[in-house]
Amino acid sequence: MLDQRLLPHQVVYHTYTNHAEVAAAIRDMVIRGAPAIGVAAAMGIALGVERSHAKTLEELEREFESICEGMGRTRPTAVDLFWAIARFRRRFTELAGQSQRQGHPGSLDTIRRGMVDEALQVHEERRAADKAIGAFGAALLPRDGRVMTQCNAGALATAGIGTALGVIRTAFAQGSLLNVLVPETRPYLQGARLTAWELQQEGIPLTLITDNMVGHFLKTGEVGSVVVGADRIAANGDTANKIGTYPMAVLAREHGVPFYVAAPISTLDLSIPSGAQIPIEQRAQEEVTHLAGVRVAADVPAAHPAFDVTPAALIAAIITERGVARQPYESALRDLAGPKKSR
Ligand code: MRU
């Protein structure tokens, strides 16, 4: 894993050899961004099963459950995490059934191999999803001018070219002359540290701004559209994304700028009717009071809700790998998700 806590100053990769290390890396934000969290969880579960010393199916089942529970306790908002865990539970049950039917001692290896194959497949599918999102989304962006994003919904946050940044990257590759307005995204600075770095590596022009400049630039900056990622999209289209996304959507509406959400089908949570049911991760106060380990605030209580919820009414379209959903979202999202959502 590329340690995103150290970017852009240091490029350091970690190799993890057990599932608990992977879970800790997700919790501590070595890796972050909803789809990347899903892929990491898939890899972590597969690693746990592959390295298990269980001798019987019952033992392996117990270990598998505890691995899944550990993964599920890392970050509460990004639904890709729970999507990956549910997918692995289904696959484990299928493989366990096969192994019982085969009924010979080597059959636990079938489960071990099957888990690893599933993780590799999740990774492959995420890459393909990003490409498709990029193609659908690029068609919605202006051919030149400015486009605003939030946080980091790029390659660092997925397994491919990114979701929101994948859209921008695809438009750029198709010849659009865009300049990306990147808010720094306090308090964790995913915009300043990660999106700015990623766009710079790609040679895509950008302008870094502070979060409190968002309204000014939406009013005066000739922003053609806003495109952001998502951590969880409820059945009615309400979308949780990095804190600061909601005010950006309100200001975009006020100034007539279309506001797009780009996310894979795995980020849909059709089991909840609206954003009111989305759990919002509360992170440490120190992430607000301190910058790079140095206290910048007075010694006072602080709050850090890591996400906010943008009401569906403010979203012009939700771009997925299976196509673009528009209002009314409930039916459009269910149509796109279809029976394949379970995969
Ligand atoms: O707390 P983070 O950095 O994991 O939050 C990330 C975001 O809010 C992203 O916009 C979202 O996960 C989509 S990433 C393609």
Side-chain angles (χ1 to χ4, degrees), residues 2-315:
L2 173 57
D3 193 335
Q4 299 194 27
R5 300 168 306 180
L6 304 177
L7 287 173
H9 307 297
Q10 282 173 272
V11 177
V12 175
Y13 286 88
H14 302 293
T15 301
Y16 298 121
T17 53
N18 73 62
H19 64 91
E21 289 174 342
V22 175
I26 295 172
R27 195 189 49 239
D28 299 342
M29 294 178 67
V30 173
I31 194 163
R32 30 66 49 204
I37 291 171
V39 176
M43 298 275 179
I45 295 170
L47 187 61
V49 174
E50 194 198 28
R51 302 281 166 115
S52 157
H53 295 299
K55 298 262 179 310
T56 64
L57 181 56
E58 291 66 35
E59 265 181 294
L60 189 60
E61 271 168 349
R62 273 198 301 277
E63 266 188 52
F64 173 75
E65 248 333 290
S66 113
I67 294 167
C68 288
E69 279 168 22
M71 285 296 163
R73 281 194 295 268
T74 53
R75 298 199 66 193
T77 306
V79 81
D80 289 69
L81 173 73
F82 304 98
W83 168 86
I85 294 170
R87 176 167 167 162
F88 269 73
R89 283 206 170 103
R90 280 193 303 276
R91 186 68 186 132
F92 187 93
T93 307
E94 277 168 20
L95 291 163
Q98 283 170 22
S99 124
Q100 263 166 338
R101 281 192 296 280
Q102 287 164 359
H104 58 81
S107 58
L108 290 190
D109 287 343
T110 313
I111 302 181
R112 293 194 172 96
R113 262 198 314 277
M115 293 277 99
V116 172
D117 289 347
E118 192 73 5
L120 295 175
Q121 191 170 335
V122 165
H123 189 200
E124 249 341 285
E125 286 174 19
R126 301 301 78 203
R127 290 159 68 93
D130 279 9
K131 264 193 162 172
I133 290 170
F136 282 121
L140 300 175
L141 293 194
R143 296 290 294 166
D144 55 24
R146 280 179 164 153
V147 53
M148 187 179 279
T149 188
Q150 168 72 338
C151 190
N152 172 266
L156 290 167
T158 72
I161 58 169
T163 53
L165 286 195
V167 168
I168 291 169
R169 192 171 273 183
T170 306
F172 193 76
Q174 291 171 353
S176 295
L177 300 170
L178 294 170
N179 187 292
V180 189
L181 275 174
V182 180
E184 58 183 356
T185 315
R186 278 272 291 150
Y188 209 75
L189 300 179
Q190 288 95 331
R193 296 189 304 107
L194 306 177
T195 297
W197 180 79
E198 210 182 302
L199 291 173
Q200 187 187 38
Q201 302 285 308
E202 282 293 308
I204 298 178
L206 73 138
T207 307
L208 181 65
I209 60 174
T210 62
D211 299 326
N212 51 5
M213 296 175 190
V214 162
H216 171 78
F217 277 102
L218 283 170
K219 190 176 179 190
T220 63
E222 289 156 21
V223 179
S225 63
V226 176
V227 56
V228 302
D231 279 79
R232 195 185 290 233
I233 302 173
N236 70 346
D238 289 353
T239 295
N241 191 49
K242 181 50 55 194
I243 192 77
T245 303
Y246 166 54
M248 189 182 280
V250 173
L251 286 158
R253 166 61 56 92
E254 172 70 16
H255 298 294
V257 178
F259 180 93
Y260 299 115
V261 170
I265 296 289
S266 54
T267 304
L268 301 181
D269 184 354
L270 302 181
S271 73
I272 53 170
S274 78
Q277 289 82 39
I278 299 178
I280 300 295
E281 178 179 2
Q282 305 293 325
R283 293 190 62 87
Q285 297 187 30
E286 289 69 34
E287 289 179 359
V288 175
T289 54
H290 291 62
L291 265 183
V294 178
R295 176 177 277 282
V296 289
D299 193 1
V300 293
H304 183 189
F307 301 95
D308 57 25
V309 176
T310 298
L314 299 177
I315 301 170

